[in-house]
Amino acid sequence: MRTYVGGHQAVSHDDFIELALGTPLELWLGVEGETTEEQAARLDAARDILASYPDLYDTVTRLAVETIQAHAPDLLNVIQLTGPGKPKRRKAVAA
């Protein structure tokens, strides 16, 4: 079964993310072995995109939270397991 988003075929999770963002992931995450000049150009392009689409950060954050809630809800279910302060030590039991 093939999946198309906006006329583009998505074959991996990364494809879906790139289609949702409208930009390649490498723009935001970088690539291994990039030079300082390549990194500067990449970050400059990312700043230009964020300036053109000021809601992009909020949209991506919302998308990330919704994805985590849908696929790994326990990650957001945070409870305090111990009280504040130092962990309690067990008393030694005489044998």
Side-chain angles (χ1 to χ4, degrees), residues 7-27:
H8 299 280
Q9 184 178 2
V11 292
S12 69
H13 295 287
D14 288 351
D15 288 344
F16 283 105
I17 294 169
E18 288 182 12
L19 290 168
L21 293 175
T23 62
L25 288 175
E26 291 82 13
L27 175 68

Side-chain angles (χ1 to χ4, degrees), residues 3-93:
T3 305
Y4 291 88
V5 178
H8 299 280
Q9 184 178 2
V11 292
S12 69
H13 295 287
D14 288 351
D15 288 344
F16 283 105
I17 294 169
E18 288 182 12
L19 290 168
L21 293 175
T23 62
L25 288 175
E26 291 82 13
L27 175 68
W28 308 104
L29 303 177
V31 292
E32 189 174 333
E34 71 182 354
T35 65
T36 54
E37 292 82 14
E38 291 169 332
Q39 181 184 30
R42 178 179 57 78
L43 294 175
D44 191 42
R47 277 190 286 277
D48 288 345
I49 290 171
L50 288 174
S52 298
Y53 302 98
D55 294 336
L56 183 61
Y57 178 80
D58 294 333
T59 302
V60 170
T61 302
R62 180 183 46 75
L63 178 65
V65 170
E66 289 173 0
T67 302
I68 291 169
Q69 286 175 331
H71 299 287
D74 291 337
L75 289 177
L76 298 178
N77 188 15
V78 179
I79 59 171
Q80 186 172 357
L81 298 176
T82 60
K86 296 181 181 178
K88 294 180 182 177
R89 295 182 182 215
R90 291 184 162 186
K91 292 182 181 180
V93 177

